[in-house]
Structures are given as C-alpha cells and as structure tokens.
Amino acid sequence: MRNHVWGVLVMSVGVMSAPCHATPLSDAWHTIAAEDSRAALTLIENNHPGAAPELGDATFQARLALAKAHVAQRLPRVVDYPAYAALMSGLAADFQDGHIWSNALVGAQIIRSSGILLARQNNQWVVGAQQTDHGEPDVKGQIFLGCDGQDAESWAVPRIARFKGDPVLEAVRARAASWLLLDEGNPFLVRPKRCTFSAPGHAPESVALHWQPVLMANVRAAIGQVAQRGDAGLKVEPFSGGWWIGLDTLEDEAQKVVTLVRHNQAALREAPMVVIDLRGNGGGNSRYADIIAELLVGEPRLKAAQPHFPACSGSYWRVSPGVLAALQQNLDQAEASRDGVSINFYRPLVTDIKQALAQHRNFSPALPACARHTLAAEQNDMPQVLPPAEMQGRLVLVTDHTCFSSCLIAVDLFRRLGALHVGETTDRSSRYMEVREEVMPSQLRAVSTLQKVAVGAGDFGPYTPEIIFPGVLSNDAALKAWVAALPAP
C-alpha cells in the first residue's frame, strides 16, 4: 500500500465512481447545480459594474458570456458533487479575477492522488513531494515536463484557465500547481495516465500514475508544506542590513505597524536600509501603506510619486437592491457603534443609491458619458524626478505571489518611491473593488461579486521584481541574509 504523508484510504472503486445513468440522486445534483449557477450568474450580472452596458467594458462582457456558455455546456453532465463543484469553480474562473470566487462551504472529504504534488519554483513546475509505490522512480525535486504526450505548458495551462484562473499570472500558476496531479472528480478534465520529469544531467523519466483515494484534509496539509509560503508578520525590528518592516496585511491590524514605524521613525530614517516585507499580504486598506511611506520618505516625495489619473476619473458604485442592502448594513453598524467617519461616508451613499433605484440609474453617483471612453492611467508612467527622500538609506520591497488587492496598490506606491523590488512576482487585480459574497441557494457554496469601479484606473500588477529571490521565501533567515548582501545601487 502506498504510504502517503497525506494518507491513503482503502476502499472499493465504486465509492468514488460517478453514476453512469440518471438516478434520483444524480437528478438532485443536477437541480442543485442549475439553481446555484443561475444564482451566481445573476449575482454577478446584477451587481458587478462591468456588467452594466453604459460602462462599455467589452472584456468583462465577453467573460460573462463565456461563463454562461460554459455553464450551459457543462450542466447536463452534473450528476454528483464533484461535477457540481467543478461547474461552480469553472464559472468563477471564467472571469479571471481573484476577487470573483466560488468557495465551498461543504466540500468533498475524499479525492484521488497520484502520489505527486507539484510546486512552482523559479517559474517552473517541479515535484515538491512524492510518495512512491508500484516501483515508480523517485522524481522529487525534478522538473515536470508534461503528461500524455503534451508538454507542461500545453497540458497544464488549459486546465488552469478552465477551473483555477488566469494562467498568464505566475501567482495563479503557483496556487494551482499542487492541484494539477490530484483528481477532484472533475468530469470535464481527463485524468492523466503518464507524466514525464527530468533532473539536470539526466534523461527524462516517464512515470505511470497510480491513483489512490486520500483524505482532503490530509491533502491540504501536505499542500501547505509543499507551498512553503512566507509570512512577513507585523513587526518593525533591526536586522543585519538595517531595519525590517513586516506587513503581512493591510487590514486594521496594520495599525500596529504604523505605530511602530512612527515610534522608530528617527532610527528608520537614519538606517542604511529599510525593508518593506509584504509576504503573505492579501490586501485591506492601502491607506496604511501611504502612512508608512510618508513616515519614511516624507510628504513631498510621497505626493510627487502619486500616479496621475485622467480628467474623467472617480469611483462609482453599481446600483442594485443587493448593493443597497450591503451598504445599509454597514451604515447600521456604524450608527450602532457611533463611528462618525463611517456614518458620514455611508449615509449619503445609501441615500443616493435609494434615489438611483427609483430613477432606474445603474451607478451612484451617476456615471458620466466619458467613462465609457476613458483610458486607464498608465502604471508604468513612473515619475522621472522626485524630491529627495527624508530617509538616508536604501528602500527595499519584498513580495510574493500572494500579494493581491490593496497590497498591489502598496507595491505600486513603493516602486514609484524608488524602492528596489525583490522576491517573487505578485498577483494582479482589476479596477473593480468592494467585494460582496453571497451564499448560494443550496447552502453548499458562496460566490462573490464586486460592486464599485474606479474609472480612470487600470489593473494593478502583476509586478515582477527587479531581482528574483533564488531560494524559498518561507526561509526568513536566508531571505534576510540575501537582502542584506544585495549589491549597492
């Protein structure tokens, strides 16, 4: 028996097999999938700004049409939970936006494993973990070359695009890597039979895959070990090269780092190097990054580094009963806690959206006609000359592929301020914002949509570092030693 670190289950194949003909149970899964996919598409179409015709987002409209077409094609084959899950995951993936997801609230407890978990290292798929059996060769650490006669790109990229997200993004590839040689029962993918791997200086090896049932909980634990993601933490402390600022979130907890930066401002400004470490940062409120930047470089340099937006720009909320209900809830909470700032933000917004619904307007405030034709601000239009920084040393920025949403806005800011960007390529987010998640009718999954658009803004990311870290970003000691030894500019 295969001795998986993620655990093998011995059971009959029939337990894992999908029914081959219609049964009351398969009919029920088909009905659940039909209702949930319809609710998900309605949620996105009625609430996402890109779905409103007056915004003129042809790319989003095409993605919405693709999602509808895929649901129509796949729905007849949904006869069990794995097919339902694949249908819903594919629906979200078609939008190629990490803010639109389909999360399982009740998931499969058992899937099948080939015994191989892939990882993404230095823009290549490699074997991150392996449990050998049936006489397979040991290929741990080797480069994945492909499966069933197809090279790695031709085989993996379409699978990622259909059910995981945009495969152009290195961040999406990194997140999808470990799932490529796992079988979640997706009937819309062909399970590979034989894959090829290579080690430097050796001939490629072809490996026949032997699939075994495993516990999903153990698989997720093993994937966590293979991914070896770094975590910057929330800290401000000296290191061998100067000072290290760990900022793993831009949620409210980031205020702790702002306070520490303010307390240590003099030492930070005099240090030979200050590192902004964003490993593990999935976003929040970019205002915290603005404050930290100003404390380090000073207000004149910060203001000069800000991007320039076209004349036709601004933030506009999509108008719908769902958006109104979400904002009304925020207002109610602000009034209950007597949060004056939030009350002053939400109260006029709720009033205007009520008026917009009565007037059959799709946006609040009313969307100007120029929004349909406004080009996005150029992220690459970096300032040529900036006022001197009020810090003496070098500013270094560390990212990994988890950097998303407001983290990307922070990356854009620090790059504009002249920071040396190192680490790993970031994710990407669009000009759409304000996520709202709803539970689907079955109560089995939750699907998200976006509610606001920043007219005049473009995508943020992906940002590729000037210097890629050659090691594993979870190794704090190695990363800090490497950063401290970076050559002088």
Side-chain angles (χ1 to χ4, degrees):
M1 183 177 72
R2 187 188 302 266
N3 181 26
H4 283 270
V5 293
W6 45 85
V8 165
L9 298 176
V10 179
M11 59 176 63
S12 69
V13 174
V15 174
M16 298 292 294
S17 300
C20 59
H21 54 82
T23 67
L25 185 58
S26 64
D27 288 344
W29 279 113
H30 182 275
T31 299
I32 288 170
E35 291 180 354
D36 279 8
S37 59
R38 185 184 307 113
L41 290 168
T42 299
L43 171 69
I44 295 168
E45 190 163 22
N46 290 351
N47 296 274
H48 196 293
E54 56 262 55
L55 190 60
D57 189 336
T59 299
F60 184 86
Q61 297 282 351
R63 289 175 179 166
L64 178 59
L66 180 65
K68 291 179 177 180
H70 278 160
V71 166
Q73 293 166 9
R74 294 166 181 165
L75 191 57
R77 295 178 60 187
V78 176
V79 294
D80 56 12
Y81 176 83
Y84 157 77
L87 176 85
M88 297 300 292
S89 295
L91 185 159
D94 280 333
F95 291 96
Q96 298 189 356
D97 185 337
H99 280 121
I100 298 179
W101 59 72
S102 168
N103 286 340
L105 302 179
V106 177
Q109 301 303 304
I110 301 166
I111 63 172
R112 288 186 179 273
S113 167
S114 66
I116 294 173
L117 289 183
L118 296 180
R120 194 74 178 162
Q121 296 176 8
N122 296 322
N123 296 340
Q124 291 182 314
W125 282 289
V126 301
V127 179
Q130 181 190 16
Q131 293 296 312
T132 59
D133 197 3
H134 302 285
E136 301 110 329
D138 183 358
V139 295
K140 184 176 179 181
Q142 294 190 20
I143 297 172
F144 169 67
L145 298 181
C147 293
D148 297 337
Q150 290 185 292
D151 64 74
E153 289 288 300
S154 301
W155 181 82
V157 167
R159 300 171 82 89
I160 295 172
R162 292 168 66 190
F163 296 100
K164 298 296 184 183
D166 186 356
V168 171
L169 300 176
E170 183 60 29
V172 173
R173 293 183 177 210
R175 286 195 296 272
S178 292
W179 297 94
L180 289 173
L181 292 180
L182 293 171
D183 178 10
E184 300 176 80
N186 186 335
F188 312 111
L189 294 176
V190 177
R191 189 168 71 187
K193 298 178 179 178
R194 182 174 289 273
C195 299
T196 307
F197 307 88
S198 73
H202 294 79
E205 292 198 76
S206 179
V207 178
L209 303 182
H210 299 91
W211 297 88
Q212 300 281 351
V214 295
L215 285 171
M216 176 66 88
N218 293 342
V219 169
R220 291 190 183 279
I223 289 174
Q225 294 176 8
V226 168
Q228 298 187 64
R229 293 173 183 161
D231 184 1
L234 293 168
K235 58 193 175 186
V236 177
E237 60 189 22
F239 83 114
S240 60
W243 281 75
W244 196 278
I245 300 175
L247 189 62
D248 67 1
T249 183
L250 288 170
E251 299 292 348
D252 291 344
E253 304 94 303
Q255 180 58 48
K256 171 186 175 181
V257 177
V258 170
T259 301
L260 289 170
V261 170
R262 183 172 282 113
H263 178 74
N264 293 283
Q265 183 183 36
L268 288 162
R269 286 188 168 185
E270 294 173 1
M273 177 187 292
V274 175
V275 179
I276 309 293
D277 182 1
L278 296 178
R279 287 176 299 155
N281 193 312
N285 186 343
S286 62
R287 177 60 184 156
Y288 292 114
D290 293 344
I291 297 170
I292 292 169
E294 183 174 345
L295 289 169
L296 292 175
V297 305
E299 183 181 12
R301 189 174 179 90
L302 175 66
K303 285 187 174 181
Q306 298 289 349
H308 298 287
F309 293 98
C312 186
S313 61
S315 295
Y316 300 86
W317 289 79
R318 179 74 190 271
V319 172
S320 75
V323 172
L324 174 60
L327 293 174
Q328 181 67 60
Q329 183 179 33
N330 291 342
L331 175 59
D332 292 344
Q333 291 173 348
E335 290 177 337
S337 61
R338 299 182 180 180
D339 181 350
V341 174
S342 295
I343 291 171
N344 291 336
F345 175 78
Y346 287 116
R347 183 174 287 162
L349 184 55
V350 166
T351 299
D352 189 66
I353 288 183
K354 288 179 178 178
Q355 294 175 350
L357 282 169
Q359 298 166 359
H360 303 289
R361 260 194 290 132
N362 271 332
F363 286 92
S364 174
L367 192 72
C370 61
R372 189 179 184 92
H373 308 289
T374 297
L375 296 176
E378 283 289 337
Q379 289 187 48
N380 295 325
D381 184 21
M382 304 292 278
Q384 299 299 312
V385 179
L386 291 174
E390 294 176 19
M391 59 179 286
Q392 299 177 15
R394 188 181 200 182
L395 188 60
V396 177
L397 176 69
V398 179
T399 65
D400 63 9
H401 71 264
T402 65
C403 183
F404 183 60
S405 193
S406 293
C407 176
L408 298 169
I409 299 176
V411 171
D412 181 62
L413 172 64
F414 285 114
R415 285 166 58 108
R416 287 176 172 276
L417 289 170
L420 172 67
H421 184 190
V422 303
E424 191 175 62
T425 301
T426 70
D427 206 333
R428 178 189 66 200
S429 65
S430 70
R431 61 178 178 161
Y432 298 110
M433 57 194 74
E434 297 293 341
V435 181
R436 185 172 97 248
E437 185 181 67
E438 287 191 6
V439 176
M440 296 295 97
S442 70
Q443 308 291 304
L444 296 175
R445 293 184 88 83
V447 175
S448 66
T449 188
L450 292 149
Q451 304 172 100
K452 187 167 74 171
V453 60
V455 171
D459 291 348
F460 282 92
Y463 296 105
T464 301
E466 297 167 70
I467 307 176
I468 300 289
F469 178 58
V472 178
L473 278 169
S474 60
N475 189 331
D476 285 359
L479 174 62
K480 289 181 178 180
W482 178 81
V483 170
L486 286 171

